[in-house]
Structure formats: C-alpha cells, structure tokens
Amino acid sequence: QGVQGFYAGFHQSDFAWYAQSRIRQWRDLKGGTAGVSTYGSLTDQLTRYMLKRNGLEPEKDVQIVQVGTTASMLQALKAGRLALAILSPPFKWMAQDAGFSELGRQTDIAPQWPKHAYLAKTKFINDNPNTLRAFLRAHVAALRLARAEPAMTVDILIERLKWTKDYAQRAYEEVMPAYDERGRLPDAHMDVFWSIEIAGGAVTQAWPDAKLIDDRFIKSFAEWAG
C-alpha cells in the first residue's frame, strides 16, 4: 500500500477473555458466541487462536460475531448476547467486578505484543524526516512526563476517558511499563506474533523487520539517547 511503520514500542499484552459466570472452562463455550471488534482484527485473531489452543474450532464449535468497541462488547456480555468477550483495560476489570469468569489473558500467549505502530506513507517518510523526528520527540517527552507524574496522568485518564480513579490507576500501572520509548519491536515474542498472522491469513510467512519497520528513526534515537 506504499505505507510502512517507522516506530513501534507499544508492547502492551493487555487483553483478557471473560465469559458468562456459568462458563468456567473453555470447553464450556461449545455452542456459544464469542465477540470480537471486527473480523480480521487483532481481537479476532487472538480469540480464534485461543479457541483453537483450547480445543475449539471457530465458527464450528463457537460462533464469532462482530460487536465493535470494547465497551460494546462488555454491554453485549452483560445483556447475555455473548458467551465470551475479549476485553482491554478498564473493561476487563469491570467484567471481573460484575462476576464474569476470566478464561484467559493475552499474556498466556506472549508477555509482550507489538500492539501498535506509527505508520506513514513511504514517500512522506522519505520527504519529511525532520517532521517525524519532531513528532517522535514529542511522543517520547509525553511518555517521560507520564512516568514522572503518575498522579497527573491518572487525572488525565479520569478527565478525558471518564474512567473511575480506581480503573484509571490500574490502567496506568499495567500499561505504562509496556512502552519502549526507543520504538523497538518486542523481538523475543515476534515468532508467536507471526505464527498468528500466518494462521489468520494476513501473511504467508514471517516478514523481516525491515519490511515491517523503517528503523532509521529508532536507530537515530538510540544514538541520541546513548
């Protein structure tokens, strides 16, 4: 598509699977429905992987349905329209507090995950390197501010996302350590990432890092930071 990543460093492996309280094990899901955001998304790929890992065939043993946002998935779970939902912070804690059964966590697959990356058109990367450097300096400055001022950061989560203080605090404590300010990929866990991408049909084989990420800014940051 003429697009390439230029910075990773978002290593959050923070999804969890919650089911109706009567469902205590994965095999109890047989004949039920599992909610994902959209077909082909990360939530879809991870859910299919976990179902197969636990002896269930997606679409045969468990129906996969598109639900939308994580908030929508929690509401569908509460309404009884789903047997299982994949949830991120703070919605997974809301499900826990509401008495739903936790069947698994993304960390069961890998403790770190290449969850996000900054992308741009290749031509823009080549034509505007100083713009991207300025953008990444601001990103890193924001991460350092968030680490230095946890109380302020929690207050921002409360103000902007309308979370309770308890959920905002828990989200901060879980999410912040998983940022790599240098923008690197979690190399120790890329094998399982690619195996899931291949199983989902997104790629036919693992890509070299150079195809996924233009690392010139990552290297220059490493030199600048020492």
Side-chain angles (χ1 to χ4, degrees):
Q1 299 297 319
V3 170
Q4 191 169 23
F6 61 89
Y7 180 96
F10 303 85
H11 297 172
Q12 289 80 11
S13 185
D14 55 3
F15 285 111
W17 287 269
Y18 277 86
Q20 298 296 333
S21 58
R22 68 180 184 279
I23 297 171
R24 310 305 296 179
Q25 301 179 69
W26 285 93
R27 65 171 178 261
D28 298 335
L29 286 168
K30 196 165 186 177
T33 56
V36 301
S37 57
T38 58
Y39 297 136
S41 66
L42 175 60
T43 60
D44 183 36
Q45 292 176 330
L46 291 174
T47 298
R48 291 173 187 270
Y49 176 86
M50 285 297 281
L51 289 170
K52 290 180 179 179
R53 179 171 167 173
N54 288 279
L56 295 166
E57 188 61 35
E59 308 298 359
K60 180 181 178 182
D61 297 324
V62 179
Q63 187 68 31
I64 307 293
V65 297
Q66 297 183 118
V67 182
T69 66
T70 309
S72 298
M73 273 194 269
L74 179 58
Q75 290 305 314
L77 193 65
K78 287 182 174 180
R81 297 197 301 271
L82 296 174
L84 178 78
I86 177 172
L87 303 171
S88 59
F91 303 99
K92 63 183 183 181
W93 301 316
M94 295 177 185
Q96 183 182 56
D97 291 345
F100 292 100
S101 300
E102 182 186 290
L103 295 190
R105 300 180 183 184
Q106 190 182 357
T107 50
D108 297 336
I109 300 173
Q112 290 186 325
W113 194 261
K115 188 171 185 179
H116 302 294
Y118 284 135
L119 309 170
K121 290 185 177 180
T122 305
K123 185 177 187 304
F124 186 89
I125 295 174
N126 292 330
D127 292 350
N128 301 278
N130 288 335
T131 299
L132 296 185
R133 288 190 183 96
F135 173 77
L136 292 176
R137 280 197 297 271
H139 171 80
V140 171
L143 288 180
R144 292 181 175 181
L145 177 62
R147 289 194 177 105
E149 300 286 350
M152 179 199 73
T153 307
V154 168
D155 285 343
I156 290 173
L157 292 176
I158 295 168
E159 176 191 351
R160 300 296 176 88
L161 301 179
K162 311 305 178 186
W163 293 352
T164 66
K165 184 170 184 178
D166 176 58
Y167 291 142
Q169 184 67 45
R170 291 173 73 177
Y172 175 89
E173 292 170 358
E174 178 169 310
V175 169
M176 282 306 303
Y179 285 105
D180 173 19
E181 67 175 30
R182 297 196 180 195
R184 297 166 291 197
L185 292 166
D187 290 335
H189 309 290
M190 291 302 291
D191 286 349
V192 67
F193 166 78
W194 285 119
S195 71
I196 291 176
E197 292 297 310
I198 292 169
V203 297
T204 56
Q205 60 184 5
W207 289 3
D209 287 353
K211 184 175 180 179
L212 188 65
I213 295 285
D214 179 334
D215 67 355
R216 74 181 84 171
F217 304 103
I218 298 171
K219 286 179 177 177
S220 65
F221 179 81
E223 293 167 2
W224 169 76

